[in-house]
C-alpha cells in the first residue's frame, strides 16, 4: 500500500511541474547563461508559490478546498484585481483582497 501513496505523491509533483510549464509559461526558458536560467527558474517557483499561497489563504478562509481552486483561474483573478489594489489606499487593500478572495471562492473552480 505504501507504493500507492508514493505514486499519488509522484502524480502531484507531475501536475505541479505541468502547471509551471503550461500555466506560468516555463516551457521555454529565455535566459542564456546558467546563472540567469537559475534565476529565471527561481522567479517561476516564486510566482507558483505565491499563487498557491493565495489559493490556500482564500480556500481556507472561505471554506473552499484549496485544491479545488484553479491555478489558472487564480492567476487570471490576481492579474485582474492587481490594479484595484494598486489604486487603493493601504488601509483599503486588505478589505479589497478579502472581497476578491471571497468572490473567487464563491465561483468555485473557475
Amino acid at each position: 500500500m505504501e507504493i500507492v501513496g508514493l505514486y499519488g505523491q509522484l502524480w502531484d509533483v507531475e501536475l505541479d511541474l505541468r502547471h509551471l510549464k503550461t500555466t506560468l509559461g516555463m516551457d521555454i526558458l529565455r535566459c542564456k547563461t546558467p546563472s540567469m536560467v537559475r534565476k529565471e527558474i527561481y522567479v517561476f517557483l516564486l510566482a507558483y508559490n505565491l499563487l498557491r499561497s493565495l489559493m490556500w489563504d482564500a480556500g481556507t478562509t472561505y471554506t473552499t478546498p484549496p485544491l479545488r481552486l484553479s491555478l489558472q483561474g487564480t492567476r487570471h483573478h490576481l492579474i485582474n484585481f492587481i490594479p484595484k489594489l494598486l489604486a487603493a489606499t493601504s488601509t483599503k487593500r486588505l478589505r479589497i483582497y478579502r472581497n476578491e478572495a471571497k468572490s473567487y471562492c464563491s465561483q468555485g473552480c473557475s
Side-chain angles (χ1 to χ4, degrees), residues 52 55-56 59-60 63-74 104-105 107-110:
R52 287 291 182 192
M55 291 166 66
W56 181 262
T60 56
T63 63
T64 300
L67 293 177
R68 299 266 306 137
L69 298 172
S70 159
L71 186 74
Q72 181 72 8
T74 303
Y104 177 61
C105 285
Q107 295 172 9
C109 299
S110 56

Side-chain angles (χ1 to χ4, degrees), residues 66-91:
L67 293 177
R68 299 266 306 137
L69 298 172
S70 159
L71 186 74
Q72 181 72 8
T74 303
R75 181 177 167 268
H76 285 297
H77 205 74
L78 179 63
I79 288 168
N80 289 331
F81 91 88
I82 282 177
K84 292 180 191 176
L85 286 176
L86 293 175
T89 63
S90 60
T91 55

Side-chain angles (χ1 to χ4, degrees), residues 4 8 23 26 49 61 70 79 89 95 105 110:
V4 173
T23 305
M26 192 177 136
N49 285 325
T61 301
S70 159
I79 288 168
T89 63
R95 185 168 15 118
C105 285
S110 56

Side-chain angles (χ1 to χ4, degrees), residues 17-18 20-30 44:
L17 289 173
R18 187 177 74 186
L20 279 167
K21 289 178 180 178
T22 57
T23 305
L24 299 181
M26 192 177 136
D27 53 336
I28 298 173
L29 297 175
R30 289 156 183 85
F44 278 111

